[in-house]
Amino acid sequence: MIAAYGVANLLQAIAAARTTAHHTFDPGLLLRLAGQRTYLCGVGCQTLGFVLAFLARRDLPLFLVQASVAAGLGVTAILGVVLLKWTLPRAEVALLGLLGLGITALVMSARPAHARQLGVAGIVGLAVAAVLIGVLGYLAARIPGVAGSVALGSLAGVGFSAAAIAARPLTAEHGVTGYLSSPLLYLLLAHSVIGQMLLGLAMQRGSTTAAVAAMDAAGAVPAAIVGLLLLGDQIQPGRTWLATTGFLVTLAAVLGLTRYAEPQHHHAASAAATVAPGVAAAPASGRR
């Protein structure tokens, strides 16, 4: 899953850099991006990561799975070095090491268990959240500059976090009929589509670092909290400190890597604009 999301990060970032910037909450952005093979390959990798993440959520707590999703940026950085000849200073090597340690700590502290089911109130809450995120996204799309990057990135993260919350209890369903009859499936799809639209807009705004940092934090933290409080996510006895430390170290390493990746993505965007004159280049992020 981490590897799949890492490849998706890189491909979708390059594709977003080649697409004319949008300033409205326009679903047509996804159609324009879909016209690029690079973006479609990125979506394919993201879909693979999504399926693997869905399977992982059947037994693993959300604090581990969501932190691992964010850790895909580490794979993006490594691919950038190998394929795009990015430079990797010592500070970034240290961040990659911290990322590995953080994920290892989460693996050691997580206790596999099936999720508790969400009640009617939880399902209604996810439905209301989808509408609210969509409305706020429509408003945030009009905000220019860094503030728009942060707002759109945060909302995209919340959307993906809500999708993860819906997915955790959905994995307990049996058979195609069980999945299709569950409202959680449609809430998962709705939040994923909304999050993807917001992500496409956030990729085109001024501060990539701010957008990605906001999305990573908003995508990991709420799901981890809801999982522990409502879905029955469990930590190995006596290892709460290890889980907390691993989660914070992983998130800090990811946020540090976004600061490193931004200038490299801007360089790639400039190169893409040179190859395809007449297409407006926009900042791209290192997230999926």
Coordinates of all heavy atoms in Angstrom, one line a residue, residues 178-261:
G178 N -23.9 -7.9 0.7 CA -23.7 -7.1 2.0 C -23.0 -5.8 1.7 O -23.4 -4.8 2.3
Y179 N -22.0 -5.8 0.8 CA -21.4 -4.5 0.5 C -22.3 -3.5 -0.2 O -22.4 -2.3 0.2 CB -20.2 -4.7 -0.4 CG -19.0 -5.3 0.3 CD1 -18.5 -6.6 0.1 CD2 -18.3 -4.5 1.2 CE1 -17.4 -7.1 0.7 CE2 -17.2 -5.1 1.9 CZ -16.7 -6.4 1.7 OH -15.7 -6.9 2.3
L180 N -23.1 -4.0 -1.2 CA -23.9 -3.1 -2.0 C -25.1 -2.6 -1.1 O -25.6 -1.5 -1.4 CB -24.5 -3.8 -3.2 CG -23.4 -4.2 -4.3 CD1 -24.1 -5.0 -5.4 CD2 -22.7 -3.0 -4.8
S181 N -25.5 -3.3 -0.1 CA -26.7 -2.9 0.7 C -26.2 -2.0 1.9 O -27.1 -1.5 2.6 CB -27.4 -4.1 1.2 OG -26.6 -4.9 2.1
S182 N -24.9 -1.8 2.1 CA -24.5 -1.0 3.2 C -24.3 0.4 2.8 O -23.7 0.7 1.8 CB -23.1 -1.6 3.7 OG -22.6 -0.7 4.7
P183 N -24.9 1.3 3.5 CA -24.8 2.8 3.2 C -23.3 3.2 3.4 O -22.9 4.2 2.8 CB -25.7 3.5 4.3 CG -25.8 2.5 5.4 CD -25.8 1.1 4.7
L184 N -22.5 2.5 4.1 CA -21.1 2.8 4.3 C -20.4 2.8 3.0 O -19.4 3.6 2.8 CB -20.5 1.9 5.3 CG -20.9 2.0 6.8 CD1 -20.3 0.9 7.6 CD2 -20.5 3.4 7.3
L185 N -20.7 1.9 2.1 CA -20.0 1.8 0.8 C -20.2 3.2 0.0 O -19.3 3.7 -0.5 CB -20.6 0.7 0.0 CG -20.1 0.6 -1.5 CD1 -18.6 0.4 -1.5 CD2 -20.8 -0.5 -2.2
Y186 N -21.4 3.7 0.0 CA -21.7 4.9 -0.7 C -21.2 6.1 0.0 O -20.8 7.1 -0.7 CB -23.2 5.0 -0.9 CG -23.8 3.7 -1.6 CD1 -24.4 2.7 -0.9 CD2 -23.6 3.5 -3.0 CE1 -24.8 1.6 -1.5 CE2 -24.0 2.3 -3.6 CZ -24.6 1.4 -2.8 OH -25.1 0.2 -3.4
L187 N -21.1 6.1 1.3 CA -20.4 7.2 2.0 C -18.9 7.2 1.7 O -18.3 8.2 1.6 CB -20.7 7.1 3.5 CG -22.1 7.4 3.9 CD1 -22.4 7.0 5.4 CD2 -22.4 8.9 3.7
L188 N -18.4 6.0 1.7 CA -16.9 5.8 1.4 C -16.6 6.4 0.0 O -15.7 7.2 -0.2 CB -16.5 4.4 1.4 CG -15.1 4.0 1.2 CD1 -14.8 2.6 1.9 CD2 -14.7 3.9 -0.2
L189 N -17.5 6.1 -1.0 CA -17.3 6.5 -2.4 C -17.5 8.1 -2.4 O -16.7 8.8 -3.1 CB -18.2 5.8 -3.3 CG -18.0 4.3 -3.5 CD1 -19.1 3.7 -4.4 CD2 -16.6 4.1 -4.1
A190 N -18.5 8.6 -1.8 CA -18.8 10.0 -1.8 C -17.6 10.8 -1.2 O -17.1 11.8 -1.8 CB -20.0 10.3 -1.0
H191 N -17.1 10.4 -0.1 CA -16.0 11.1 0.6 C -14.7 11.0 -0.3 O -13.9 11.9 -0.3 CB -15.8 10.5 2.0 CG -16.7 11.1 3.0 ND1 -16.6 12.4 3.4 CD2 -17.7 10.5 3.7 CE1 -17.5 12.6 4.4 NE2 -18.2 11.5 4.5
S192 N -14.5 9.8 -0.9 CA -13.3 9.6 -1.7 C -13.3 10.6 -3.0 O -12.3 11.2 -3.3 CB -13.2 8.2 -2.2 OG -13.0 7.3 -1.1
V193 N -14.5 10.7 -3.6 CA -14.6 11.5 -4.8 C -14.5 13.0 -4.4 O -13.7 13.8 -5.1 CB -16.0 11.3 -5.5 CG1 -16.2 12.4 -6.6 CG2 -16.0 9.9 -6.1
I194 N -15.1 13.4 -3.3 CA -15.0 14.8 -2.8 C -13.5 15.1 -2.5 O -13.0 16.1 -2.8 CB -15.9 15.0 -1.6 CG1 -17.4 15.0 -2.1 CG2 -15.6 16.4 -1.0 CD1 -18.4 15.0 -0.9
G195 N -12.9 14.2 -1.8 CA -11.5 14.4 -1.4 C -10.6 14.5 -2.6 O -9.7 15.3 -2.6
Q196 N -10.9 13.6 -3.6 CA -10.0 13.7 -4.8 C -10.2 15.0 -5.6 O -9.2 15.5 -6.1 CB -10.4 12.5 -5.7 CG -9.5 12.3 -6.9 CD -8.1 11.8 -6.4 OE1 -8.0 11.1 -5.4 NE2 -7.1 12.1 -7.2
M197 N -11.4 15.5 -5.6 CA -11.6 16.8 -6.3 C -10.9 17.9 -5.5 O -10.3 18.8 -6.2 CB -13.1 17.1 -6.4 CG -13.9 16.2 -7.3 SD -15.7 16.3 -7.2 CE -15.9 18.1 -7.5
L198 N -11.0 17.9 -4.2 CA -10.3 18.9 -3.4 C -8.8 18.8 -3.5 O -8.1 19.8 -3.6 CB -10.8 18.8 -2.0 CG -12.2 19.2 -1.7 CD1 -12.6 18.8 -0.3 CD2 -12.5 20.7 -1.9
L199 N -8.3 17.5 -3.6 CA -6.9 17.3 -3.8 C -6.4 17.9 -5.1 O -5.4 18.5 -5.2 CB -6.6 15.8 -3.7 CG -5.2 15.4 -4.0 CD1 -4.2 16.1 -3.0 CD2 -5.0 13.9 -3.9
G200 N -7.2 17.7 -6.2 CA -6.8 18.3 -7.5 C -6.7 19.8 -7.4 O -5.8 20.4 -8.0
L201 N -7.6 20.4 -6.7 CA -7.6 21.9 -6.6 C -6.4 22.3 -5.7 O -5.7 23.3 -6.0 CB -8.9 22.4 -6.0 CG -10.1 22.3 -6.8 CD1 -11.4 22.6 -6.0 CD2 -10.0 23.3 -8.0
A202 N -6.2 21.6 -4.6 CA -5.1 21.9 -3.7 C -3.7 21.8 -4.4 O -2.8 22.5 -4.1 CB -5.2 21.0 -2.4
M203 N -3.6 20.8 -5.3 CA -2.3 20.6 -6.0 C -2.0 21.8 -6.8 O -0.8 22.0 -7.2 CB -2.4 19.4 -6.9 CG -2.3 18.1 -6.2 SD -2.4 16.7 -7.4 CE -1.8 15.3 -6.3
Q204 N -3.0 22.6 -7.2 CA -2.7 23.8 -8.1 C -2.6 25.1 -7.4 O -2.4 26.1 -8.1 CB -3.9 23.9 -9.1 CG -4.0 22.6 -10.0 CD -5.1 22.8 -11.0 OE1 -6.2 23.4 -10.7 NE2 -4.9 22.3 -12.2
R205 N -2.6 25.1 -6.1 CA -2.5 26.4 -5.4 C -1.1 26.7 -5.0 O -0.2 25.9 -5.3 CB -3.4 26.3 -4.1 CG -4.9 26.3 -4.3 CD -5.3 27.5 -5.2 NE -6.8 27.7 -5.2 CZ -7.6 27.1 -6.1 NH1 -7.1 26.2 -6.9 NH2 -8.9 27.3 -6.1
G206 N -0.9 27.9 -4.5 CA 0.5 28.4 -4.3 C 1.4 27.6 -3.4 O 2.5 27.3 -3.8
S207 N 1.0 27.3 -2.2 CA 2.0 26.7 -1.3 C 1.7 25.2 -1.2 O 0.8 24.7 -0.5 CB 1.8 27.3 0.1 OG 2.6 26.6 1.0
T208 N 2.5 24.4 -1.9 CA 2.4 23.0 -1.9 C 2.6 22.4 -0.5 O 1.9 21.5 -0.1 CB 3.3 22.3 -2.9 OG1 3.1 23.0 -4.2 CG2 3.1 20.9 -3.1
T209 N 3.7 22.9 0.1 CA 4.0 22.5 1.5 C 2.9 22.6 2.4 O 2.5 21.7 3.1 CB 5.2 23.3 2.0 OG1 6.3 23.0 1.2 CG2 5.5 22.9 3.4
A210 N 2.2 23.8 2.4 CA 1.1 24.0 3.3 C -0.1 23.1 3.0 O -0.7 22.5 3.9 CB 0.7 25.5 3.2
A211 N -0.4 22.9 1.7 CA -1.5 22.1 1.3 C -1.3 20.6 1.8 O -2.1 20.0 2.3 CB -1.7 22.1 -0.2
V212 N -0.1 20.1 1.5 CA 0.2 18.7 1.8 C 0.3 18.4 3.3 O -0.2 17.4 3.8 CB 1.5 18.2 1.1 CG1 1.8 16.8 1.4 CG2 1.3 18.3 -0.4
A213 N 0.9 19.4 4.0 CA 1.0 19.2 5.4 C -0.4 19.2 6.1 O -0.7 18.4 6.9 CB 1.9 20.4 6.0
A214 N -1.2 20.2 5.6 CA -2.6 20.2 6.2 C -3.3 18.9 5.8 O -4.1 18.4 6.7 CB -3.3 21.4 5.6
M215 N -3.2 18.4 4.6 CA -3.9 17.2 4.3 C -3.4 16.0 5.0 O -4.2 15.2 5.5 CB -3.8 16.9 2.7 CG -4.6 15.7 2.3 SD -4.8 15.7 0.5 CE -3.0 15.6 0.0
D216 N -2.1 15.9 5.2 CA -1.6 14.7 5.9 C -2.1 14.7 7.4 O -2.5 13.7 7.9 CB -0.1 14.7 5.9 CG 0.5 14.2 4.6 OD1 -0.2 13.4 3.9 OD2 1.6 14.7 4.2
A217 N -2.1 15.9 8.0 CA -2.5 16.0 9.4 C -4.0 15.7 9.5 O -4.5 14.9 10.3 CB -2.2 17.4 10.0
A218 N -4.8 16.3 8.6 CA -6.2 16.2 8.6 C -6.7 14.8 8.2 O -7.7 14.3 8.6 CB -6.9 17.2 7.7
G219 N -5.8 14.1 7.4 CA -6.2 12.7 7.0 C -5.9 11.7 8.0 O -6.5 10.6 8.0
A220 N -4.9 11.9 8.8 CA -4.4 10.9 9.8 C -5.0 11.0 11.2 O -5.5 10.0 11.8 CB -2.9 10.9 9.9
V221 N -5.1 12.2 11.7 CA -5.5 12.5 13.1 C -6.9 12.1 13.4 O -7.2 11.4 14.3 CB -5.1 13.9 13.5 CG1 -5.6 14.2 14.9 CG2 -3.6 14.1 13.4
P222 N -7.9 12.7 12.6 CA -9.3 12.4 13.0 C -9.6 10.9 12.9 O -10.3 10.4 13.8 CB -10.1 13.2 11.9 CG -9.2 14.3 11.5 CD -7.8 13.7 11.5
A223 N -9.2 10.2 11.9 CA -9.4 8.8 11.7 C -8.9 8.0 12.9 O -9.5 7.1 13.4 CB -8.9 8.3 10.4
A224 N -7.6 8.4 13.3 CA -7.0 7.7 14.4 C -7.8 7.8 15.7 O -8.0 6.9 16.4 CB -5.6 8.2 14.6
I225 N -8.3 9.0 15.9 CA -9.1 9.3 17.2 C -10.4 8.6 17.1 O -10.8 7.9 18.1 CB -9.3 10.8 17.3 CG1 -7.9 11.5 17.6 CG2 -10.3 11.1 18.5 CD1 -8.0 13.0 17.6
V226 N -11.1 8.7 16.0 CA -12.4 8.0 15.9 C -12.3 6.5 16.0 O -13.1 5.8 16.6 CB -13.1 8.4 14.5 CG1 -14.4 7.5 14.3 CG2 -13.5 9.9 14.5
G227 N -11.2 6.0 15.4 CA -11.0 4.5 15.4 C -10.8 4.0 16.9 O -11.4 3.0 17.2
L228 N -10.0 4.8 17.6 CA -9.8 4.4 19.0 C -11.0 4.5 19.9 O -11.3 3.7 20.8 CB -8.6 5.2 19.6 CG -7.2 4.8 19.0 CD1 -6.2 5.9 19.5 CD2 -6.8 3.4 19.5
L229 N -11.8 5.6 19.6 CA -12.9 5.9 20.5 C -14.2 5.1 20.1 O -15.0 4.7 21.0 CB -13.2 7.4 20.5 CG -12.2 8.3 21.1 CD1 -12.6 9.8 21.0 CD2 -11.9 8.0 22.5
L230 N -14.4 4.9 18.8 CA -15.7 4.4 18.4 C -15.7 3.1 17.7 O -16.7 2.3 17.7 CB -16.4 5.4 17.5 CG -16.7 6.8 18.1 CD1 -17.4 7.7 17.0 CD2 -17.6 6.7 19.3
L231 N -14.6 2.7 17.1 CA -14.5 1.6 16.2 C -13.8 0.4 16.8 O -13.7 -0.7 16.2 CB -13.9 1.9 14.9 CG -14.6 3.0 14.1 CD1 -13.8 3.3 12.8 CD2 -16.0 2.6 13.7
G232 N -13.4 0.5 18.0 CA -12.7 -0.6 18.7 C -11.3 -0.9 18.3 O -10.8 -2.0 18.6
D233 N -10.6 0.1 17.7 CA -9.2 0.0 17.5 C -8.4 -0.3 18.8 O -8.7 0.4 19.8 CB -8.6 1.2 16.8 CG -9.1 1.3 15.3 OD1 -9.9 0.4 14.9 OD2 -8.7 2.3 14.6
Q234 N -7.4 -1.1 18.7 CA -6.7 -1.5 19.9 C -5.2 -1.4 19.8 O -4.7 -1.5 18.7 CB -7.1 -3.0 20.3 CG -8.6 -3.2 20.6 CD -8.9 -4.6 20.9 OE1 -8.0 -5.3 21.5 NE2 -10.1 -5.1 20.7
I235 N -4.6 -1.1 21.0 CA -3.2 -1.0 21.1 C -2.7 -2.2 22.0 O -3.4 -2.5 23.0 CB -2.8 0.3 21.7 CG1 -3.2 1.5 20.8 CG2 -1.3 0.4 21.9 CD1 -3.0 2.9 21.4
Q236 N -1.6 -2.8 21.7 CA -1.0 -3.8 22.6 C -0.9 -3.3 24.0 O -0.5 -2.2 24.2 CB 0.4 -4.3 22.0 CG 0.3 -4.9 20.7 CD -0.3 -6.3 20.7 OE1 -0.6 -6.9 21.8 NE2 -0.3 -7.0 19.6
P237 N -1.2 -4.1 25.0 CA -1.1 -3.7 26.4 C 0.3 -3.2 26.7 O 1.3 -3.8 26.4 CB -1.4 -5.0 27.2 CG -2.3 -5.8 26.2 CD -1.7 -5.5 24.9
G238 N 0.3 -2.0 27.4 CA 1.6 -1.4 27.8 C 2.3 -0.7 26.7 O 3.5 -0.2 27.0
R239 N 1.8 -0.6 25.5 CA 2.5 0.0 24.4 C 1.8 1.3 23.9 O 2.1 1.7 22.8 CB 2.7 -1.0 23.3 CG 3.5 -2.2 23.6 CD 3.8 -3.1 22.4 NE 4.5 -4.3 22.8 CZ 4.9 -5.3 22.0 NH1 4.5 -5.3 20.7 NH2 5.6 -6.3 22.5
T240 N 1.0 1.9 24.7 CA 0.3 3.1 24.3 C 1.4 4.2 24.0 O 1.2 4.9 23.0 CB -0.6 3.6 25.4 OG1 -1.6 2.6 25.6 CG2 -1.3 4.9 25.0
W241 N 2.4 4.2 24.8 CA 3.5 5.2 24.6 C 4.2 5.0 23.3 O 4.5 6.0 22.6 CB 4.5 5.1 25.7 CG 5.3 3.8 25.8 CD1 4.9 2.7 26.4 CD2 6.5 3.6 25.1 NE1 5.9 1.7 26.1 CE2 6.9 2.2 25.4 CE3 7.4 4.4 24.3 CZ2 8.0 1.7 24.8 CZ3 8.5 3.8 23.8 CH2 8.8 2.4 24.0
L242 N 4.3 3.7 22.9 CA 5.0 3.4 21.6 C 4.1 3.8 20.4 O 4.6 4.3 19.4 CB 5.3 1.9 21.6 CG 6.1 1.4 20.4 CD1 7.5 2.1 20.3 CD2 6.3 -0.1 20.4
A243 N 2.8 3.6 20.6 CA 1.9 3.9 19.5 C 1.9 5.5 19.3 O 1.9 6.0 18.2 CB 0.5 3.4 19.8
T244 N 1.8 6.2 20.4 CA 1.8 7.6 20.4 C 3.0 8.2 19.8 O 3.0 9.1 18.9 CB 1.6 8.2 21.8 OG1 0.3 7.7 22.4 CG2 1.5 9.7 21.7
T245 N 4.2 7.7 20.3 CA 5.5 8.2 19.7 C 5.6 7.8 18.2 O 6.0 8.7 17.5 CB 6.6 7.5 20.5 OG1 6.5 7.8 21.9 CG2 8.0 8.0 20.0
G246 N 5.2 6.6 17.8 CA 5.3 6.2 16.4 C 4.5 7.1 15.6 O 4.9 7.5 14.5
F247 N 3.2 7.4 16.0 CA 2.3 8.2 15.2 C 2.9 9.6 15.0 O 2.9 10.1 13.9 CB 1.0 8.2 15.9 CG -0.1 8.9 15.1 CD1 -0.8 8.1 14.1 CD2 -0.4 10.2 15.3 CE1 -1.8 8.7 13.4 CE2 -1.4 10.8 14.5 CZ -2.1 10.1 13.6
L248 N 3.3 10.2 16.1 CA 3.9 11.6 16.0 C 5.1 11.6 15.2 O 5.3 12.6 14.4 CB 4.1 12.1 17.5 CG 2.9 12.3 18.3 CD1 3.2 12.8 19.7 CD2 1.9 13.3 17.7
V249 N 6.0 10.6 15.4 CA 7.3 10.6 14.6 C 7.0 10.5 13.1 O 7.6 11.1 12.3 CB 8.2 9.5 15.1 CG1 9.3 9.3 14.1 CG2 8.8 9.9 16.5
T250 N 6.0 9.6 12.8 CA 5.7 9.3 11.4 C 5.1 10.6 10.8 O 5.5 11.0 9.7 CB 4.7 8.2 11.3 OG1 5.2 7.0 11.8 CG2 4.2 8.0 9.8
L251 N 4.2 11.2 11.5 CA 3.5 12.5 10.9 C 4.6 13.6 10.8 O 4.6 14.3 9.8 CB 2.4 12.9 11.9 CG 1.4 13.9 11.3 CD1 0.8 13.4 10.0 CD2 0.3 14.3 12.3
A252 N 5.5 13.7 11.8 CA 6.5 14.8 11.7 C 7.4 14.5 10.5 O 7.8 15.5 9.8 CB 7.3 14.8 13.0
A253 N 7.8 13.3 10.3 CA 8.7 13.0 9.2 C 8.0 13.3 7.9 O 8.7 13.8 6.9 CB 9.1 11.5 9.3
V254 N 6.7 12.9 7.7 CA 6.0 13.2 6.5 C 5.9 14.7 6.2 O 6.2 15.2 5.1 CB 4.6 12.6 6.6 CG1 3.7 13.1 5.4 CG2 4.7 11.1 6.5
L255 N 5.6 15.5 7.3 CA 5.5 16.9 7.1 C 6.9 17.5 6.7 O 7.0 18.4 5.9 CB 5.0 17.6 8.4 CG 3.6 17.1 8.9 CD1 3.2 17.9 10.1 CD2 2.6 17.3 7.7
G256 N 8.0 17.0 7.3 CA 9.3 17.4 7.0 C 9.6 17.1 5.5 O 10.2 17.9 4.8
L257 N 9.2 15.9 5.0 CA 9.5 15.6 3.6 C 8.7 16.4 2.7 O 9.1 16.6 1.5 CB 9.1 14.1 3.4 CG 10.2 13.1 4.0 CD1 9.6 11.7 3.9 CD2 11.5 13.2 3.2
T258 N 7.5 16.9 3.0 CA 6.8 17.8 2.1 C 7.5 19.1 1.9 O 7.5 19.6 0.8 CB 5.4 18.2 2.7 OG1 5.5 18.9 3.9 CG2 4.5 16.9 2.9
R259 N 8.2 19.6 2.9 CA 9.0 20.8 2.8 C 10.2 20.5 1.8 O 10.6 21.4 1.0 CB 9.6 21.2 4.1 CG 8.5 21.7 5.1 CD 9.2 22.2 6.4 NE 10.0 23.4 6.1 CZ 9.6 24.6 5.9 NH1 8.3 24.9 6.0 NH2 10.4 25.6 5.7
Y260 N 10.7 19.3 1.8 CA 11.8 19.0 0.9 C 11.3 18.8 -0.5 O 11.9 19.2 -1.5 CB 12.5 17.7 1.4 CG 13.1 16.8 0.3 CD1 14.2 17.3 -0.4 CD2 12.5 15.6 0.0 CE1 14.8 16.5 -1.3 CE2 13.1 14.8 -1.0 CZ 14.2 15.2 -1.6 OH 14.7 14.4 -2.6
A261 N 10.1 18.2 -0.6 CA 9.7 17.8 -2.0 C 9.2 19.0 -2.8 O 9.2 19.0 -4.0 CB 8.5 16.8 -1.8

